Amino acid sequence: MSTIAFDSDNKIVSLYGKKSSYNIKLYNTSLPLHLHWGAKTCLSVKKSFFPANDRGFMILAEARDNSYLVEEMQFEYGFAENGDFRVPAFRVRDGQNYPITGPFELTTYIYRGKNQIPGLPSARPENAQDLETLELRMHDSKSGLWITLSYSMFPKYDAVTRHVRFSNEGSRPVKIEKAASMSLDLYNWEYELLYLHGAWARERQLQRRPLQSGTTAFGSIRGTSSHQFNPSFALVSPQTTEFSGEAYGFSFVYSGNFLSELELNHDNNLRLNLGLHPDTFEWQLQPGDSFNTPEALMIYSDEGLNGMSHNFHGFIRNHIFPPPFQKAERPILFNNWEATYFDFDERGLVELSDIAADIGVELFVLDDGWFGERNTDRTSLGDWTVNTEKLPNGLKGLAEEIEKRELQFGLWLEPEMMSLNSKLALAHPEWYISIPNRPVAEGRNQLVLDLSRSDVREFLIETLDQILSSAPISCVKWDMNRYLTNVASSQLPASQQQELYHRYVLGLYHVLDEITAKYPKVLFEGCSGGGGRFDLGVLYYMPQYWTSDNTDAVSRIKIQYGTSLFYPPISMGAHVSAVPNHQVGRTTSLEFRGHTAMSGNFGYELDLRALSDTELRQITQQSSFYAQHRRLLQFGRFLRIKSPFESSEAVWMFIHSAASAEDSSDYFLLFWFRLHAEANLPSPRVKLAYLEENVLYEEKSSGLSYTGSELMHRGIILPQLEGDYVSQVYIFQKKGSENS
Ligand code: GLA
């Protein structure tokens, strides 16, 4: 299949998706210019792609070439220091510390398939024959620097992946000061920015606002992609809704510091850069060496935000998740953290597992506190030996007991850390990130290991290997509970200290590469104080993520709704926990908590021993409902119908997309939630979507049937329920087919 076309007469390269195209003009054999990204476009105008006005006080492109003004052009990778005064995509200095500004010689190269980026996670093609990659190679003969822009189109999802490689073929080192993974110059058709901001226990709150003159920027300098700003965001037209209009989504396949910059200039041009955060990055590139940026992902849809999310969800499941988990159903999980915190022993855990097995749980995860002297969060990270006072028969003994109950066994680890109060810190004080002879800031009483060091990485790989081979462990919850501060490494030379943030992330990926290759069947669940590092870089290794430490169902409705804009429900760990809730003190019904949690990757996290028989019966029904509808809930199409950010209601549905034969099915689920009651409210009324117009659907609880067109165009009136925090799930069965 051909996804790239080259029009050699007009020097236009086009990447074609199902409904989109990305068109690039190769200008004067020196510069790739951006023509278009969006709805599939066939470019017939050959001469007037760009404005050619002679305007005052602007810099011309090249000496004696007055055919364009630099600031009016749309570049594929924005320059610094050449008369383009927008925020540049990159900044590189040569051996004399002079900025490299070109001119470049441009060559184009197209190959079948897509190469993985060395040392970094990047989208995996299902079948290399299905796509092609475009490389635009820009050569600066003065310094010997090559800058190669790579593009691959995944047509089914209208997804373009991009990254940049810098290669030094000169004789002197060059210094990379800034290296975005993608840059995009657009005419601003009044775009609005949609992004996810938050904090610990309040992750991924949705915000939408028009862009205004100047630069809008958000990112992270915390060492992780952070709770505060997620590295996924979108541009939409003011008219774009959940179901219609254009949406342009972006995401960064990376787990460390990042910067998204959107500059709207005086000509109403919008430059968008996404990449490593330049404030915390610099790279010395020696002769003969290459540097690869992480990958950026761009996804287009003309079917509104739900269309964009659908493309993201499918893309992430099929091209980001590790192959063994792309199609694999996920087990119903029990986690003991909110049930016991640090206060447990083998007997108590086995008691919990007895009940867990009875209520339909399939995977029992032992959380923090099983190792060293870990009875509080002030000690023992790094000392990964079993605490035999709590677990006299070791992990193996416990795991075998759990397995006897036909449950899989999972284990919490926080490999990237050490407690100051640990044997590891005594043995290796040089292993944590700190600035020599200066005090180090503490967060959660712990320090971050310097993963740029090979001895630290080897220690981690060996330790993880020992743990994973010591007992039947089928799941690891990989936690990371503090940001990076005082960032310096005793092993890096002075000129490379600014590389540490990125080298840390590369070190993490190295460890994950090794360990997931050795244990491909182990399910890794990511976590960072809840959802502090929820990004495509982590999901590449760990196909599910603990969405937030906030398990309150009301808060979770917003957190999961925001997260779903880019990330599929199967990636979002969501547990039913105790009431009053441990983070916000709120009491909600078991039913409401269940409906919220089963809209994500479902589990329980509460002391099952404290539940009444009635509650246990209710939970058993809940987990059996989830198991029965798991295929739909984990792999179906998730549609947001009504936003909790706009009203006191939330509505969403799960439906199998008709396009996928393997997942086609004859029913769908509709979830309705009301957060706060008011007097004299009208009955909830919603219009559904993506149904078959002429098919009859029977709503199982009432026995009433509706045509697809009726549900979509007239809408359905749902029964009003009384009280705060009420919810309902409805099963709609296609008439003539069976499902209970
Ligand atoms: C973090 C995680 C929690 C739990 C604790 C254990 O806060 O997000 O789920 O694992 O650590 O210390």
Side-chain angles (χ1 to χ4, degrees), residues 337 367-368 412 444 477 479 481 527 529-530 546 549:
W337 180 241
D367 211 279
D368 195 356
W412 180 96
R444 211 192 187 204
K477 177 178 173 187
D479 211 341
N481 279 317
C527 179
W546 181 226
D549 273 347

Side-chain angles (χ1 to χ4, degrees), residues 279-305:
D279 285 2
T280 54
F281 168 79
E282 206 175 81
W283 202 267
Q284 297 289 329
L285 196 60
Q286 298 301 327
D289 281 358
S290 290
F291 175 82
N292 285 289
T293 71
E295 188 163 83
L297 168 67
M298 310 163 59
I299 283 191
Y300 170 78
S301 172
D302 63 358
E303 292 180 43
L305 294 172

Side-chain angles (χ1 to χ4, degrees), residues 219-279:
S220 167
I221 51 163
R222 292 163 189 267
T224 64
S225 51
S226 89
H227 300 85
Q228 280 68 14
F229 292 104
N230 194 266
S232 300
F233 59 99
L235 289 178
V236 295
S237 308
Q239 301 78 19
T240 299
T241 67
E242 282 289 2
F243 289 100
S244 68
E246 295 195 297
Y248 303 80
F250 305 87
S251 191
F252 198 27
V253 189
Y254 189 65
S255 312
N257 293 345
F258 73 97
L259 179 67
S260 320
E261 301 171 287
L262 300 105
E263 182 183 352
L264 184 57
N265 80 356
H266 54 270
D267 279 343
N268 204 31
N269 279 312
L270 179 63
R271 167 157 304 163
L272 187 164
N273 294 330
L274 172 60
L276 295 168
H277 201 306
D279 285 2

Side-chain angles (χ1 to χ4, degrees), residues 200 335 337-338 341-342 367-369 374 377 412 414 444 446 477 479-481 527-531 546 548-549 605:
W200 172 78
N335 179 302
W337 180 241
E338 287 198 19
Y341 296 102
F342 293 108
D367 211 279
D368 195 356
R374 186 84 170 165
D377 65 11
W412 180 96
E414 196 178 353
R444 211 192 187 204
Q446 62 194 57
K477 177 178 173 187
D479 211 341
M480 197 288 186
N481 279 317
C527 179
S528 178
W546 181 226
S548 175
D549 273 347
E605 186 168 336

Side-chain angles (χ1 to χ4, degrees), residues 414-428:
E414 196 178 353
E416 297 160 69
M417 299 291 152
M418 80 169 34
S419 304
L420 250 189
N421 180 11
S422 67
K423 291 186 186 135
L424 187 66
L426 277 180
H428 291 290

Side-chain angles (χ1 to χ4, degrees), residues 135-201:
E135 287 193 351
L136 300 176
R137 299 173 174 177
M138 303 192 290
H139 181 226
D140 174 50
S141 55
K142 292 209 165 48
S143 62
L145 178 71
W146 285 85
I147 303 179
T148 301
L149 314 180
S150 281
Y151 303 74
S152 307
M153 170 71 86
F154 290 69
K156 184 171 171 192
Y157 303 107
D158 286 305
V160 179
T161 56
R162 291 180 60 174
H163 89 281
V164 181
R165 185 174 66 245
F166 294 84
S167 304
N168 183 356
E169 293 191 4
S171 53
R172 303 183 66 170
V174 300
K175 187 167 69 182
I176 308 173
E177 294 178 338
K178 180 175 187 181
S181 295
M182 59 152 294
S183 177
L184 188 68
D185 285 351
L186 302 167
Y187 184 76
N188 178 36
W189 299 106
E190 293 178 32
Y191 291 120
E192 293 183 354
L193 171 67
L194 214 100
Y195 62 122
L196 303 173
H197 69 102
W200 172 78

Side-chain angles (χ1 to χ4, degrees), residues 628-641:
Q628 191 187 352
H629 301 291
R630 172 175 4 218
R631 193 80 216 157
L632 179 61
L633 292 165
Q634 295 188 348
F635 295 91
R637 179 171 192 161
F638 177 76
L639 288 169
R640 291 175 302 269
I641 308 274

Side-chain angles (χ1 to χ4, degrees), residues 599-673:
S599 301
N601 191 319
F602 189 55
Y604 291 93
E605 186 168 336
L606 74 175
D607 191 348
L608 300 170
R609 295 165 299 192
L611 298 181
S612 68
D613 287 349
T614 318
E615 286 171 317
L616 288 173
R617 262 198 306 280
Q618 213 182 331
I619 280 188
T620 312
Q621 281 165 8
Q622 222 168 50
S623 68
S624 111
F625 181 90
Y626 183 78
Q628 191 187 352
H629 301 291
R630 172 175 4 218
R631 193 80 216 157
L632 179 61
L633 292 165
Q634 295 188 348
F635 295 91
R637 179 171 192 161
F638 177 76
L639 288 169
R640 291 175 302 269
I641 308 274
K642 201 158 192 190
S643 168
F645 291 96
E646 285 162 15
S647 74
S648 200
E649 268 177 275
V651 181
W652 53 66
M653 61 190 272
F654 289 84
I655 181 165
H656 277 304
S657 56
S660 145
E662 98 199 45
D663 278 338
S664 72
S665 86
D666 45 20
Y667 76 105
F668 67 89
L669 295 175
L670 176 71
F671 286 80
W672 174 81
F673 302 86

